C-alpha cells in the first residue's frame, strides 16, 4: 500500500542556518480508493532554536513537497498562508520535525486540527528537547465531505501553546522518546515469483532448479524505513534480525507497515503486506502496557498465488484493498522501550542487527493437525455472463490450493472411528467441488442443479495451536486461560477489565434512561458495541482465513472470504465461532477494484454453504449441524477404512408454497434522466424467481401484488426449516425501453414458516407488513414494504393451505393483490395542500420554464395546482389551498409516500416534467389537536417559570475603578467613555461571552423571530407591527456602564436556518430533483442530490381524518376555502428593502481578493421594524391583553410587584424597555401566538470554492434585515464600517550597552573587543530595519549610542493587530491587507569589516503582552522570558510609557541560555524630534521629561556576559 508522508519542515535559505520543523503523515486503511484533499495552512512559528534564521516551512506527503514563503532574520515567523510549490533550490539544516498520521487527522472532529501548535523536535538529536512550535490548520477532506471551521472565540487562548498542541485528546502533551524493536524471525508459504519458463532457463544455465524468489522484509514506521538482509532463492527464509526505530511515544503514526518483498535487479515487488495497529497491542490506562506483539505469525493476503507477468491485482500485495488469497506467513515480534534521553549512549538512527541463534517459543512450538469440512447445499444467482461454462468451487486455507497446487506438508486424512482418527490411513484431501453445467433460473441468473446430491470438500492442514486467541475473539466474557505471549496475558487483563467496566456502566445507564436522554444513552450503547468490536479483533494471527473461489473454465471469477475464527469449533459452546457447524449464505464478489462501483454491485453467485473447522481429533460431530435426512457418500480406499464424505445424498425433502406480499416501496434510486424510474422487483428464493409488474415514472411504487411460488423443494427436516428457513433476495430494477434493466438496489428477508400441522392464525399469522432497507453497494437506496410467508404443503396438497382472500381487480388480469388481513386497514383522510409558489427553476431541455403547474399524488388520488401564467413575472400560485380525499392506512408508519411533480405546460398541449419530490414521511403533516389546558394562562392563574436575564460589562474587569465607600454605601463603578462604545463594542463583547452563554443552558433568554422570506409572516397583524418596533428600539439602545446580554448580538457559528430548523413552521420548502442519481459510491447522497436539484416548491400539507371533529371545524375559522390554513398572509409580490450587513471574512485559506462562495441563500422576512419607540410598550400590552387573555390588571400588578415571570430581568433598576424585552425573551411560551423569535444576531456562512468541493476557504459573518415598503420607513442603517486603524509611532531609545560578548581578538595585543551595534524592526516590516551607529573597539562590552528608532505603523486596537497593506508580488494588481501581531524584534550584533556580522543576542516583545521591566539589573533574570506566565504583563498601548530592564536571550555553543539586559522607555506622544529619528540628545536635556540615567549593572551567565541599555518610547 502506498504510504504517503506529510512533512512540515521550516527550512532557511543561505548561510548555515538550521531548518525549523517538519511533519510526517501516513494514511489509515479507511481512506482506501477514495479521493481526498489535504489542506494545510501554516499560520506562524515560535521559539525556533537558531541564530538569525530565515525559516521556511515545508510540507511533504509521499514524494510531493510544498513550501511556504521565506521570512528573513526571525525566530518567530508569521506566515498565515497555504503551502504552495516552488521550484527553487533549497539548502539548510533541519532544526525540528513533527510527524502525524493522516488517519489521526481524519478521526478528529470535522476531520481537522484547527489553530493547533505542532511541537518540533530533532529526530537526529533526541536529547535536545523542543526545537520550536509551528501553528497550523490541517484538514483531510473526502469527496462529499464538508469541513466546517470552528469559530475563534478568543485569540489569547490560542497563544497558550501548551494548551493547544496539535495532538489528539488521548495523547499527553509531553511525549517521551522510545525505541521500537521489530524482530524478524522467519517466513513460510511464499508463492512462486517466476514462471516455469524462467525456471527451465535457470536450470539450463546453473544446472539445478532452485527456488526463484529472493525475499527480504521491509518495515516502514513514522517516515523511517528498515530492511533485513536478502535471503537468496528461498521459499522458507530465516532472517533472525532486528530492526530498531527511534520515535516519540505515544506515536502519532499509529500503524506500522511490514512487507515481504522479492528482490529483483529491475524492480523489487511486494509479496505481501501486513499492518500492525499499535492501538490494538497497547493499553494507555492506569493498568495499561506498552505496545507488545508476539513472537507470533502474521498472515499476509494479496493477489492470487499463480504468478503472471502482468498481475492486475498487484495493488493488493501492497496492502491496498482486501486480499483475495493467502500469500505468506511471517514470524515477528514487537517491543517498545522508553529511553532515558540523559544517557550519552542514546542513538536515534534506524538500526538493523542480527539476533542470537536462539529460536522463539513460537518457532519451536509443534504444529497440530486441523480439519476443515465444507458442504455446498445450494449455488444460485450465478451471473449469466459465465453461465455457459462448467463451474466448480475451490476452498483454500493457507497455502493449500486444491487441484491447482500441492498441499502444505501434503498428508493423507484417514480414520478408524468417529471418536479417534488413526494416523495410518490413505485418504487424499478434496478441496474442489466437481464441475457442473449451470441451469437457467431467469434471464439474469443461473443456478447449479445440485438437487438432492450436495458436493463436499475436506482439507487437512497443520498450524500452531493458538486457538485460544480465536476463542478470545469469539467470546469476550468467558476467557479462562492465558496465552503464551506477553500480549496474550495483557489482553486477557484488558478484556476482563473493559467488560467489567461496560457491565457496570450498562447497569447505571439502564436506571438513568429517561425520555429526554434516550438519544444520548443510545450513543453510549453504540460506543459499547464499537469497543467490543475493537477488543474482538485479535492482532496476533494464528490459523489463516478461508478463501472460496468460483472457477469457470479453469479461470477464477469471484471469491468469498470467511474468517477462520467464525467457523472454529470448541467443546465450549460460547467459544465456538458464530458460523461453525451452521448453514450460512455467502455472496461472491469480484476481486480487486472490480468489486467497486456498479460492476461490483451485481451478485456473482449465492451459495448455501456449511463449514466446520477444528482439530482432526475433534471431528466426531463435524456433520451435526447439517440439515438432517442425508446419507454419506464416502470415497473408501480400502476395506474397513472410513473417511469424510465427498458428497451427501438427501432422502428427506419438504414441499412448500412461498407467498411474497409486495405492497410498496419508497425513496428509490432515480435511474432515468427525468429523475424518476420505472421500477419492478425480482424475487429469488432457492432456484425460483418471479417479478412484479412495472410501474412507470415513480420513485415510490405501490405494487400491491402477491407473488406465489408453488412446489418449492427444500431438503432437511421440517422442524429445522421452520426455525431457520433460507433467505429471500429481492432486487429492484429500472425497466428501460432499450437495453437491459438497470440495477437499483437489493434487500434480504426471511419468511415466516408454517408447517402443515400448525394453525394459520394469530399471533404469527397472517404476517405483518414491514419495511426493509434497500442497499445499492454500500449506500442506502430506499425502503420496501412487504411480508413473506412460507407454507408447507401437507399430504392433502394445496387444499390445506389458507385461502388467498383479497379484492378482485379485473383490470389487473392475473396479478393478485395483497390479501385482506395482510394489507393495511384503511380510513378516509383529507389532504389539504397549500400552494404558495415555485422558486429557482432551471432550464429543462434548454428551454426556460414559463407556465408551471404542481401535481400532488398520494395512494392513487391527486390534485393539481392553479397554473402559473408567467413564472418570471409572478412565481406564486393564484389559488392557495386545495384538497383531496384518499384512503390511507390507520397505522401512520404504513402511510404511502406523497409525490410532488412539477410540469411545464407548453404549446400544442405538451407537458414536460420539470422535477419531482417524494415526501416519504407524512407524520409531521398530520393535524393533532392542541392541548386545551394551556390555551389561557389567566384562567389557570399560573405563569411559566423564566430565568433572570443576565448582563455583562463591556469594561475590562482589570480596569474597573471602584471608589472608596463608607459603611453602607454602594460601590460606584468608574464611568466609561460613551464615545468608545459602538456596534463593534457589542460585537466583541458577544464573542467574549460566547462560551459563557453556551455553558448556561437555562439562560434561554433570546427571542427568536421567524426569519424566512415567505415563512415569517405572522398570523396576526398587530403582533407583526410591534416586532419591528421592539427590534428597532433595542438595537439602537446604549448603556453607559453595563449592557444586558439580551442587547448583545447573538453569535451563530453556522447558517441561521440550521439554528431554527430551516424556518419551517407553517410553510415548507420541497426540493425538486431531475436527472439520474450518481453511481459514485463515494459521494454522499446529499452531495449527489445537489447536482440534481432543479428548483424548489414552497407549500405545506395538512392531513386529517374525515369527517372532521367539531373542534377542527371551529379551528378552520370563517374562511372555509382556506381549510386548516387560516390567517396566513397573502402571497402577492411586495416591495422589500433589503439590508445586508457584512461584518467580516475570517479564517480564509488564501490571500486573494476574490473568494468563490457556494450556494448561500438567505431567506428573510422578519426584519420589518417600526420607527416609533413609544409604540413598543403599547404593542406588548395589546398582544398580551387581547390575544393571550392576560388582563391589564395582571400587567399593572406584575409591573408593580415585579414578580411575574415576564418582567424578572435581574437588574436593580427596571425600565419599561427592560420589561418589554423580557416579554419578547419568552414570547415562545405564550399560548397560540407564541413562537420562537430570532434575536439581534450575526450568522456565519462558509465560503466554498467549486474547484475544492466541501473544503471551506473561509467564513463570512453577516446578517440581513428586510423591511416591507407598505410599512412605515425604518430608521437609518447601522454603521458597522470597519474601525479604521490608528496611526501610531513606536520610539525605541537605545542608550548604551554593557557586558556585551567580546568576539574579536586584537592581532597585536590579543586583547578581546567588539564593534557593537543594535538592530530593531516591527514584525511584518522587515524592510524597515533600523540600526544604531557602531561603537567601535569596545574593550569592556560597554557601548554608548543615545540612538532612537522610530517605527510608524497602523494599529487596530480592538483586534490588537498591526495593519500592513502591500502587494504580494510585482505582478499583483491590488494591495493585500495583512493583520499581524504587534511584536518588536531587537538584536545585538558585532560589526565586522570583511566578514559577515556576528549575531550576539535577540528578544521579541509582544507589545500587547510582555513582562514588566525590572527596576534594577539585579532583579532582571532570564525567568522574565522563559516564565512569562508567572510575570506581571504590560500592554504598551495602555501603559503608554515604560522603562526597565529586560533579559535578552541567546544560545551558546552548548545550546544553553545566556542573557543580556536592556532598559526600555516608551512614550506615545510624538515630538518634533521624530523628524530626525537617528541621533537623539541625552534625555535629561529635553523639556518634556527627565529620566535618571541609572548605573550600569553586570549580569553574569555561564561564560558569556553582555548588557544592552536602551529606552523605548511611543
Amino acid at each position: 500500500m502506498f504510504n504517503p508522508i506529510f512533512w512540515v519542515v521550516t527550512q532557511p535559505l543561505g548561510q548555515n542556518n538550521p531548518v525549523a520543523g517538519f511533519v510526517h503523515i501516513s494514511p489509515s486503511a479507511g481512506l482506501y480508493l477514495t479521493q481526498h484533499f489535504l489542506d494545510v495552512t501554516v499560520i506562524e512559528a515560535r521559539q525556533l532554536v537558531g541564530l538569525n534564521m530565515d525559516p521556511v516551512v515545508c510540507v511533504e506527503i509521499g514524494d510531493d513537497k510544498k513550501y511556504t514563503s521565506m521570512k528573513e532574520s526571525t525566530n518567530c515567523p508569521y506566515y498565515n498562508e497555504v503551502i504552495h510549490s516552488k521550484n527553487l533550490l533549497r539548502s539548510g539544516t533541519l532544526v525540528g520535525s513533527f510527524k502525524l498520521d493522516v488517519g489521526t487527522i481524519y478521526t478528529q472532529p470535522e476531520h481537522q486540527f484547527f489553530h493547533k501548535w505542532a511541537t518540533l523536535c530533532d529526530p537526529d538529536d533526541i536529547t535536545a528537547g523542543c526545537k520550536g512550535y509551528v501553528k497550523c490548520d490541517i484538514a483531510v477532506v473526502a469527496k462529499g465531505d464538508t469541513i466546517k471551521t470552528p469559530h475563534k472565540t478568543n485569540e489569547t487562548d490560542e497563544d497558550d501553546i501548551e494548551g493547544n498542541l496539535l495532538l489528539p485528546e488521548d495523547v499527553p502533551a509531553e511525549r517521551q522518546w522510545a525505541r521500537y524493536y521489530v524482530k524478524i524471525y522467519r517466513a513460510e508459504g511464499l508463492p512462486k515469483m517466476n514462471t516455469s519458463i524462467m525456471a527451465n532457463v535457470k536450470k539450463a544455465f546453473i544446472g539445478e532448479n532452485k527456488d526463484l524468489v529472493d525475499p527480504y522484509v521491509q518495515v516502514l514506521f513514522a517516515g523511517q524505513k528498515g530492511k533485513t538482509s536478502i535471503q537468496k532463492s528461498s521459499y522458507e527464509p530465516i532472517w533472525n534480525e532486528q530492526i530498531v526505530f527511534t520515535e516519540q511515544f505515544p506515536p502519532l503514526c499509529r500503524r506500522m507497515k511490514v512487507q515481504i518483498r522479492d528482490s529483483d535487479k529491475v524492480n523489487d515487488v511486494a509479496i505481501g503486506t501486513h499492518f500492525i495497529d499499535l492501538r490494538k497491542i497497547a493499553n494507555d490506562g492506569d493498568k495499561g502496557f506498552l505496545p507488545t506483539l508476539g513472537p507470533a505469525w502474521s498472515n499476509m493476503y494479496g493477489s492470487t498465488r499463480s504468478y503472471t507477468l502482468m498481475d492486475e491485482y498487484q495493488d493488493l500485495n501492497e496492502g491496498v484493498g482486501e486480499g483475495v488469497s493467502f500469500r505468506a506467513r511471517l514470524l515477528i515480534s514487537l517491543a517498545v522501550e522508553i529511553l532515558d534521553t540523559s544517557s550519552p549512549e542514546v542513538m536515534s538512527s534506524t538500526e538493523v542487527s542480527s539476533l542470537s541463534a536462539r529460536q522463539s517459543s513460537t518457532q519451536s512450538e509443534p504444529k497440530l493437525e486441523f480439519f476443515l469440512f465444507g458442504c455446498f447445499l445450494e449455488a444460485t444467482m450465478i451471473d449469466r455472463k459465465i453461465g455457459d461454462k462448467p463451474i466448480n468451487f475451490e476452498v483454500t486455507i493457507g497455502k493449500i490450493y486444491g487441484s491447482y497446487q500441492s498441499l502444505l506438508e501434503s498428508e493423507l486424512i484417514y480414520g478408524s472411528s468417529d471418536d479417534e482418527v488413526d494416523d495410518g490411513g490413505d485418504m487424499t484431501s478434496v478441496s474442489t467441488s466437481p464441475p457442473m453445467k449451470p441451469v437457467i433460473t431467469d434471464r439474469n441468473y443461473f443456478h447449479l442443479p445440485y438437487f438432492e446430491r450436495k458436493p463436499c470438500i475436506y482439507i487437512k492442514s497443520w498450524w500452531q495451536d493458538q486457538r485460544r486467541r480465536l476463542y478470545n475473539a469469539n467470546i469476550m466474557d468467558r476467557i479462562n486461560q492465558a496465552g503464551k505471549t506477553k500480549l496474550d496475558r495483557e489482553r486477557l487483563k484488558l478484556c476482563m477489565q473493559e467488560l467489567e467496566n461496560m457491565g457496570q456502566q450498562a447497569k447505571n445507564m439502564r436506571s438513568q434512561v429517561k425520555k429526554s436522554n434516550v438519544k444520548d444513552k443510545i450513543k453510549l450503547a453504540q460506543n459499547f458495541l464499537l469497543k467490543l468490536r475493537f477488543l474482538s479483533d485479535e492482532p496476533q494471527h494464528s490459523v489463516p482465513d478461508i478463501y472460496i473461489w468460483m472457477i469457470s473454465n479453469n479461470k477464477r471469477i469471484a471469491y468469498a472470504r470467511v474468517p477462520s475464527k467464525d467457523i472454529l469449533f470448541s467443546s465450549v459452546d460460547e467459544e465456538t465461532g458464530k458460523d461453525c457447524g451452521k448453514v450460512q449464505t455467502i455472496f461472491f464478489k469480484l476481486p480487486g477494484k472490480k468489486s467497486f462501483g456498479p460492476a461490483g454491485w451485481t451478485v456473482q453467485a449465492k451459495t448455501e454453504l456449511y463449514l466446520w473447522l477444528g482439530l482432526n481429533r475433534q471431528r466426531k460431530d463435524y456433520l451435526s449441524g447439517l440439515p438432517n435426512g442425508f446419507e454419506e457418500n464416502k470415497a473408501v480406499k480400502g476395506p474397513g477404512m472410513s473417511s469424510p464424505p465427498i458428497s451427501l445424498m438427501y432422502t428427506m425433502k419438504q414441499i412448500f408454497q412461498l407467498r411474497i406480499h409486495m405492497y410498496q416501496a419508497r425513496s428509490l434510486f432515480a435511474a432515468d434522466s427525468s429523475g424518476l424510474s420505472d421500477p419492478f422487483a425480482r424475487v429469488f428464493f432457492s432456484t425460483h424467481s418471479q417479478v412484479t409488474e412495472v410501474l412507470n415514472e415513480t420513485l415510490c411504487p405501490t405494487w400491491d401484488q402477491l407473488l406465489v411460488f408453488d412446489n418449492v423443494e427444500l431438503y432437511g427436516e421440517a422442524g429445522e426449516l421452520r426455525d431457520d428457513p433460507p433467505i429471500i433476495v429481492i432486487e429492484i430494477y429500472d425497466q428501460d425501453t432499450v437495453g437491459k434493466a438497470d440495477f437499483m438496489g437489493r434487500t434480504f428477508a426471511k419468511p415466516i414458516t408454517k408447517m402443515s400441522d400448525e394453525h394459520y392464525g394469530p399471533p404469527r399469522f397472517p404476517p405483518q407488513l414491514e419495511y426493509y432497507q434497500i442497499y445499492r453497494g454500500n449506500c442506502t437506496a430506499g425502503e420496501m414494504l412487504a411480508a413473506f410467508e412460507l407454507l408447507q404443503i401437507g399430504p392433502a396438497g394445496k387444499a390445506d393451505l389458507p385461502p388467498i382472500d383479497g379484492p378482485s381487480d379485473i383490470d389487473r388480469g392475473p396479478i393478485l393483490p395483497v390479501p385482506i388481513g395482510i394489507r393495511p386497514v384503511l380510513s378516509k383522510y383529507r389532504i389539504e395542500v397549500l400552494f404558495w409558489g415555485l422558486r429557482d427553476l432551471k432550464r429543462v431541455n434548454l428551454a426556460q420554464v414559463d407556465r408551471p403547474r404542481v401535481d400532488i399524488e398520494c395512494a392513487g388520488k391527486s390534485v393539481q395546482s392553479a397554473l402559473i401564467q408567467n413564472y418570471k413575472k409572478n412565481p406564486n400560485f393564484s389559488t392557495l389551498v386545495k384538497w383531496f380525499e384518499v384512503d390511507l392506512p390507520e397505522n401512520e408508519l404504513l402511510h404511502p409516500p406523497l409525490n410532488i411533480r412539477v410540469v411545464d405546460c407548453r404549446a400544442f398541449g405538451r407537458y414536460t416534467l420539470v422535477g419531482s419530490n417524494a415526501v416519504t414521511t407524512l407524520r409531521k403533516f398530520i393535524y393533532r389537536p392542541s392541548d386545551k389546558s394551556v390555551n389561557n394562562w389567566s384562567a389557570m392563574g399560573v405563569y411559566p417559570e423564566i430565568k433572570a436575564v443576565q448582563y455583562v460589562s463591556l469594561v475590562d474587569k482589570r480596569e474597573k475603578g471602584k471608589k472608596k465607600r463608607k459603611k453602607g454605601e454602594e460601590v460606584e463603578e468608574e464611568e466609561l467613555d460613551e464615545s468608545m462604545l459602538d456596534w463593534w463594542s457589542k460585537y466583541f463583547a458577544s464573542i467574549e461571552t460566547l462560551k459563557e452563554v453556551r455553558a448556561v443552558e437555562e439562560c434561554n433568554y433570546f427571542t427568536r423571530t421567524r426569519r424566512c422570506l415567505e415563512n415569517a409572516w405572522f398570523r396576526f397583524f398587530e403582533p407583526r407591527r410591534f416586532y419591528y418596533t421592539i427590534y428597532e428600539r433595542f438595537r439602537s439602545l446604549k448603556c453607559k456602564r453595563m449592557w444586558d446580554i439580551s442587547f448583545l448580538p447573538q453569535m451563530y457559528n453556522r447558517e441561521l436556518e440550521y439554528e431554527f430548523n430551516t424556518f419551517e413552521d407553517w410553510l415548507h420548502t420541497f426540493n425538486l430533483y431531475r436527472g439520474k442519481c450518481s453511481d459514485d459510491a463515494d459521494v454522499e447522497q446529499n452531495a449527489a442530490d445537489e447536482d440534481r436539484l432543479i428548483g424548489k416548491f414552497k407549500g405545506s400539507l395538512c392531513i386529517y381524518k374525515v369527517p372532521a371533529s367539531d373542534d377542527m371545524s371551529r379551528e378552520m375559522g370563517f374562511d372555509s376555502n382556506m381549510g386548516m390554513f387560516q390567517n396566513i398572509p397573502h402571497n402577492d409580490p411586495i416591495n422589500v428593502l433589503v439590508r445586508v450587513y457584512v461584518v467580516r471574512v475570517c479564517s480564509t485559506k488564501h490571500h486573494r481578493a476574490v473568494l468563490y462562495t457556494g450556494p448561500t441563500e438567505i431567506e428573510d422576512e422578519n426584519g420589518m421594524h417600526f420607527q416609533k419607540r413609544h409604540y413598543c410598550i403599547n404593542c406588548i400590552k395589546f398582544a398580551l391583553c387581547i390575544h393571550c387573555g392576560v388582563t391589564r390588571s395582571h400587567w399593572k400588578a406584575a409591573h408593580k410587584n415585579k414578580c411575574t415571570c415576564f418582567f424578572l430581568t435581574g437588574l436593580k433598576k427596571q425600565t419599561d424597555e427592560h420589561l418589554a424585552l423580557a416579554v419578547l425573551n419568552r414570547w415562545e411560551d405564550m399560548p397560540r401566538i407564541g413562537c420562537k423569535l430570532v434575536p439581534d444576531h450575526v450568522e456565519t456562512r462558509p465560503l466554498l470554492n467549486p474547484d475544492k468541493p466541501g473544503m471551506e476557504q473561509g467564513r463570512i459573518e453577516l446578517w440581513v434585515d428586510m423591511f416591507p415598503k407598505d410599512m412605515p420607513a425604518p430608521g437609518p442603517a447601522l454603521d458597522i464600517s470597519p474601525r479604521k486603524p490608528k496611526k501610531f509611532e513606536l520610539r525605541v531609545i537605545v542608550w548604551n550597552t554593557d557586558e556585551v560578548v567580546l568576539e574579536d581578538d586584537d592581532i597585536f595585543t590579543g586583547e578581546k573587543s567588539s564593534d557593537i551595534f543594535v538592530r530593531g524592526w516591527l514584525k511584518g516590516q522587515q524592510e524597515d530595519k533600523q540600526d544604531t551607529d557602531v561603537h567601535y573597539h569596545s574593550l569592556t562590552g560597554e557601548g554608548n549610542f543615545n540612538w532612537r528608532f522610530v517605527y510608524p505603523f497602523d494599529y487596530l486596537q480592538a483586534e490588537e493587530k498591526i495593519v500592513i497593506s502591500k502587494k504580494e508580488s510585482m505582478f499583483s494588481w491590488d494591495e493585500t491587507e495583512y493583520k499581524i501581531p504587534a511584536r518588536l524584534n531587537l538584536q545585538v550584533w558585532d560589526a565586522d569589516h570583511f566578514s559577515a556580522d556576528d549575531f550576539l543576542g535577540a528578544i521579541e516583545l509582544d507589545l500587547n503582552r510582555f513582562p514588566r521591566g525590572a527596576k534594577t539589573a539585579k532583579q532582571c533574570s532570564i525567568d522574565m522570558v522563559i516564565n512569562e506566565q508567572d510575570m506581571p504583563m504590560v500592554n504598551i498601548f495602555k501603559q503608554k510609557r515604560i522603562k526597565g530592564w529586560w533579559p535578552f536571550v541567546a544560545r551558546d555553543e552548548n545550546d544553553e541560555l545566556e542573557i543580556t539586559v536592556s532598559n526600555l522607555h516608551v512614550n506615545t506622544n510624538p515630538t518634533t524630534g521624530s523628524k530626525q529619528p537617528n541621533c537623539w540628545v541625552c534625555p535629561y536635556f529635553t523639556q518634556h521629561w527627565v529620566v535618571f540615567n541609572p548605573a550600569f549593572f553586570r549580569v553574569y551567565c555561564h561564560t558569556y556576559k553582555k548588557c544592552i541599555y536602551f529606552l523605548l518610547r511611543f
Side-chain angles (χ1 to χ4, degrees), residues 1117-1342:
F1118 303 100
D1119 190 355
S1120 59
N1121 294 328
M1122 299 301 294
M1124 300 300 295
F1125 297 98
Q1126 298 290 323
N1127 300 313
I1128 64 173
H1130 60 80
N1131 65 344
D1132 296 336
I1134 61 172
N1135 294 324
V1136 178
L1137 172 63
V1138 180
R1139 291 175 179 172
V1140 181
Y1141 296 87
V1142 179
V1143 180
R1144 68 172 181 173
V1145 176
C1146 54
S1147 301
T1148 55
K1149 301 295 183 183
H1150 299 276
H1151 296 304
R1152 301 297 180 193
V1154 180
L1155 290 172
Y1156 297 96
T1157 60
T1160 305
E1161 299 179 1
I1162 307 175
E1163 299 183 353
D1164 201 338
E1165 196 181 338
N1166 76 305
M1168 298 161 288
H1169 311 296
F1170 215 67
Q1171 189 175 3
K1172 298 180 181 179
R1173 296 180 179 178
H1174 69 273
Y1175 191 61
C1176 170
I1177 305 301
N1178 294 330
C1179 290
I1180 297 178
K1181 291 181 181 180
F1182 177 83
L1184 289 175
C1185 298
I1186 303 301
H1187 297 291
C1188 302
V1190 178
T1191 63
R1192 297 180 183 270
S1193 59
H1194 282 90
W1195 175 280
K1196 294 179 180 179
H1199 188 281
K1200 182 178 180 180
N1201 299 327
K1202 296 181 176 59
C1203 59
T1204 306
C1205 62
F1206 275 131
F1207 317 119
L1208 180 59
T1209 63
L1211 299 177
K1212 296 180 180 179
K1213 297 180 180 180
Q1214 296 183 5
T1215 63
D1216 288 343
E1217 285 82 359
H1218 288 108
L1219 298 177
L1221 181 61
V1223 174
L1224 292 180
N1225 288 339
R1226 304 304 295 181
W1227 190 259
E1228 60 184 300
D1229 294 332
M1230 296 183 65
R1232 293 196 300 147
I1233 68 169
C1235 60
K1236 293 183 178 181
L1237 307 178
V1238 177
D1240 185 9
H1241 69 278
V1242 175
E1243 61 176 306
T1244 306
R1245 292 183 172 270
L1247 298 174
L1248 304 175
N1249 190 328
D1251 296 334
K1252 297 180 179 180
M1255 184 181 297
E1256 285 190 7
Q1257 304 303 301
R1259 290 191 159 201
I1260 183 171
E1261 295 180 354
L1262 54 86
W1263 85 85
V1264 179
D1265 286 343
M1266 303 188 72
F1267 306 88
K1269 290 296 187 65
D1270 60 349
M1271 301 293 294
L1278 286 178
D1279 182 11
I1280 64 167
S1281 56
R1283 289 168 166 166
K1284 301 298 181 182
K1286 295 182 180 180
K1287 291 188 177 296
F1288 282 79
E1289 191 174 80
L1290 178 67
R1291 298 180 179 180
V1292 182
I1293 299 94
V1294 181
W1295 286 345
N1296 49 27
T1297 62
D1298 195 12
E1299 299 297 340
V1300 176
V1301 176
L1302 304 180
E1303 289 285 339
D1304 301 333
D1305 295 327
D1306 190 279
I1307 59 176
F1308 298 107
T1309 64
E1311 195 174 23
K1312 290 279 188 179
S1313 65
S1314 287
D1315 301 332
I1316 307 169
F1317 72 93
V1318 179
R1319 173 176 296 167
W1321 72 92
L1322 284 178
K1323 179 178 284 294
Q1325 298 182 4
Q1326 285 85 351
E1327 64 278 1
D1328 190 23
K1329 291 181 180 177
Q1330 300 179 28
D1331 297 344
T1332 65
D1333 58 354
V1334 180
H1335 184 109
Y1336 290 102
H1337 201 63
S1338 174
L1339 300 178
T1340 62
E1342 179 181 358

Side-chain angles (χ1 to χ4, degrees), residues 924-950:
K924 67 177 181 179
F925 298 108
I926 297 178
Y927 174 81
R928 307 183 191 279
S930 58
D931 190 357
K932 298 180 180 180
S933 61
V934 296
N935 280 343
N936 194 310
W937 288 347
S938 61
M940 300 171 56
V942 178
Y943 295 86
E945 182 182 359
I946 184 172
K947 301 295 182 181
V949 179
Q950 296 185 349

Side-chain angles (χ1 to χ4, degrees), residues 70 287 291 342 441 452 467 554 609 931 943 1009 1250 1386 1459:
M70 183 189 69
K287 299 180 179 180
S342 62
T441 303
E452 66 275 358
R467 291 174 295 162
N554 293 332
L609 181 60
D931 190 357
Y943 295 86
T1009 308
L1386 294 168
I1459 66 172

Side-chain angles (χ1 to χ4, degrees), residues 804-816:
I804 300 176
D805 298 328
S808 60
D809 194 343
I810 301 177
D811 297 337
R812 301 182 67 181
I815 296 178
L816 298 176

Side-chain angles (χ1 to χ4, degrees), residues 351-399:
E351 305 173 7
V352 179
S353 59
S354 299
L355 297 174
S356 62
R358 180 177 55 87
Q359 301 293 321
S360 68
S361 59
T362 307
Q363 283 182 279
S364 59
E365 185 179 351
K367 296 181 179 180
L368 297 181
E369 184 180 5
F370 281 77
F371 175 73
L372 172 64
F373 176 81
C375 179
F376 291 88
L377 300 178
E378 184 178 278
T380 59
M381 297 186 68
I382 298 174
D383 191 6
R384 65 179 181 179
K385 296 179 182 179
I386 58 174
D388 57 340
K389 303 292 184 181
I391 292 176
N392 65 316
F393 294 94
E394 177 190 68
V395 181
T396 65
I397 178 171
K399 182 181 174 182

Side-chain angles (χ1 to χ4, degrees), residues 70 106 204 236 299 311 325 331 340 745 769 802 911 920 1044 1062 1086 1097 1327 1343 1355 1381 1428 1514:
M70 183 189 69
Y106 199 76
E236 294 188 356
N299 301 317
D311 190 356
S325 177
L331 183 61
D340 182 7
L769 293 173
Y911 294 92
T920 57
D1044 193 306
T1062 65
N1086 293 337
F1097 163 65
E1327 64 278 1
Y1355 182 72
E1428 289 185 356
F1514 233 154

Side-chain angles (χ1 to χ4, degrees), residues 114 149-154 158 987 991 994 998 1051-1053 1144 1146 1244 1259 1261:
F114 182 74
T149 305
H151 188 77
K152 185 171 62 175
T153 57
N154 195 339
E158 297 175 1
Y987 173 79
I991 294 179
L994 181 61
R998 288 182 175 179
M1051 306 299 300
Y1052 292 117
N1053 293 335
R1144 68 172 181 173
C1146 54
T1244 306
R1259 290 191 159 201
E1261 295 180 354

